[in-house]
Amino acid sequence: MIRRHAPRRLGLVLGGGAARGWAHIGAIRALEEAGIHPDIVCGTSIGALVGAVYANGDLDWLEQWVSRLTWQSVLRLLDIKFSGGLLGGKKVLDVFAHQFNERTILDLRKPFAAVATELDTGREVWMQNGSIVDAVRASIAIPGIFQPVYHDGVWLVDGGLANPVPVSVARAMRADCVIAIDLNNDILNGRDFGGPTPELPPRVAKEALTADDKPLESHSDAVVLSADPETPPVALRKNGKPWPKWLAPNPDYDVHTPPAPSARIPSLMSAIGQSIDIMQVRITRSRLAGEPADILIQPRLGGMRIFDFHHAAPAIEEGRAAVERMMPAIRSRLGMD
């Protein structure tokens, strides 16, 4: 049998998908453990963030950081602005700015590009030089959620509006073979728009309160009060009010199986999230049809909502599993048999 030559330049393309992007970490781990080391890294949205960290040689740090994220710590990273978007994004980017230490894209260990979208024209913008933090910040600016970024005289928003899985960018950077990771393949399988009310272990009032009526036992920041064992438990904030459904913790978490559709009116964030998912899926399918990758990896993340950043572990594991499922085809395409 004639052995094929390995490609000269291997490109890794990391698609957008918000919290589902933690699956990229597991996928990169599995590739590297198999001896596959990309020469070029391109990313859109969360793929740009993970890709920049990887190209900087800090994947270990990122995995440790995301693995420590909890529902409460994610909330503390949200800086409400109501100007151009619900969130400013500064708190999140400050974490990464410290890690990048004012490096530019050209300082990274691997050639890297982040994709953003010009708000006024819809033109996709490939950011291949300048500040890493500015490039990532523009690429993750989900319209309506994060504020747009003013860069070189134009307003930039999330690259997923134009190119969710930027295979074309890797080709333009002279990648001979492209491995692309699409996070949005199976996400339109039905969703419980209202979000499940968390069912935490019930506590009777006398066990949950002290004599001063202050919480004694808690589930992180949530306290469950129920004098009647048959009364459904309710997750409460420290001020005694219930959490909005879109922020409530869900202990019965599964990245593979979306909840059954519900007749409840969608919450604001659920409606926005589902709308973004629809857009991402449609654009991704269209772009990949015209610009196919040599190897397409599609983790099964249908049950993961775009704001579930605190569920890193199952996403990372599924990213690894998706690469392992494709490994025979990967090895064959790269001439590793």
Side-chain angles (χ1 to χ4, degrees):
M1 185 177 78
I2 298 176
R3 180 182 176 87
R4 286 174 292 180
H5 294 289
R8 293 184 301 276
R9 286 169 66 86
L10 179 62
L12 177 64
V13 172
L14 305 179
R20 292 185 284 268
W22 299 150
H24 288 317
I25 299 173
I28 294 171
R29 292 289 194 204
L31 289 171
E32 293 215 320
E33 288 170 7
I36 300 168
H37 305 282
D39 302 295
I40 298 166
V41 182
C42 305
T44 290
S45 196
I46 191 68
L49 189 151
V50 176
V53 173
Y54 172 51
N56 198 44
D58 289 327
L59 196 64
D60 289 343
W61 167 81
L62 179 62
E63 184 170 4
Q64 292 173 6
W65 185 74
V66 302
S67 297
R68 292 195 300 266
L69 286 177
T70 64
W71 172 59
Q72 290 79 19
S73 62
V74 170
L75 293 182
R76 287 192 289 269
L77 289 171
L78 304 183
D79 47 348
I80 308 298
K81 293 294 183 183
F82 296 108
S83 177
L86 293 175
L87 308 173
K90 185 177 184 302
K91 290 183 179 179
V92 176
L93 267 298
D94 282 349
V95 175
F96 293 90
H98 176 75
Q99 193 68 23
F100 290 130
N101 195 24
E102 299 185 354
R103 295 185 185 93
T104 68
I105 292 176
L106 296 179
D107 294 327
L108 294 172
R109 298 181 183 182
K110 297 176 183 288
F112 171 77
V115 177
T117 303
E118 191 174 308
L119 185 59
D120 291 334
T121 66
R123 180 177 66 94
E124 65 181 273
V125 178
W126 299 354
M127 308 184 76
Q128 298 176 264
N129 53 53
S131 166
I132 303 170
V133 174
D134 289 348
V136 170
R137 175 67 185 85
S139 190
I140 67 172
I142 302 173
I145 304 298
F146 287 104
Q147 290 179 329
V149 174
Y150 195 67
H151 179 78
D152 287 346
V154 296
W155 288 101
L156 299 178
V157 292
D158 195 299
L161 288 175
N163 200 350
V165 186
V167 173
S168 57
V169 182
R171 301 284 190 203
M173 294 173 71
R174 302 195 306 277
D176 299 303
C177 181
V178 174
I179 299 176
I181 303 177
D182 168 24
L183 305 175
N184 304 312
N185 180 55
D186 67 341
I187 60 176
L188 298 183
N189 295 328
R191 204 66 59 84
D192 184 350
F193 292 126
T197 301
E199 295 185 0
L200 305 175
R203 309 283 190 209
V204 295
K206 65 180 180 180
E207 293 176 343
L209 299 180
T210 66
D212 297 325
D213 289 338
K214 294 181 179 180
L216 178 62
E217 298 187 25
S218 66
H219 180 84
S220 298
D221 283 352
V223 177
V224 180
L225 305 178
S226 177
D228 183 352
E230 296 182 358
T231 301
V234 179
L236 303 180
R237 287 178 281 181
K238 288 183 176 180
N239 63 7
K241 296 181 180 180
W243 286 99
K245 289 180 180 180
W246 69 277
L247 289 177
N250 180 9
D252 300 322
Y253 194 79
D254 182 1
V255 300
H256 302 289
T257 308
S262 169
R264 286 179 289 178
I265 297 175
S267 67
L268 171 64
M269 298 307 293
S270 294
I272 291 175
Q274 182 73 351
S275 299
I276 292 172
D277 286 346
I278 293 170
M279 175 195 70
Q280 291 278 283
V281 169
R282 301 303 184 194
I283 298 173
T284 298
R285 290 176 180 173
S286 176
R287 291 298 299 254
L288 287 178
E291 301 160 354
D294 297 284
I295 300 165
L296 183 61
I297 299 169
Q298 296 177 310
R300 298 165 183 167
L301 300 164
M304 190 168 189
R305 297 177 295 184
I306 67 171
F307 303 112
D308 288 337
F309 291 99
H310 53 299
H311 290 299
I316 292 172
E317 183 57 33
E318 174 54 24
R320 177 185 291 275
V323 170
E324 291 172 351
R325 289 192 295 267
M326 288 292 295
M327 191 53 67
I330 295 172
R331 295 180 67 87
S332 175
R333 179 63 181 84
L334 298 181
M336 299 173 65
D337 293 332

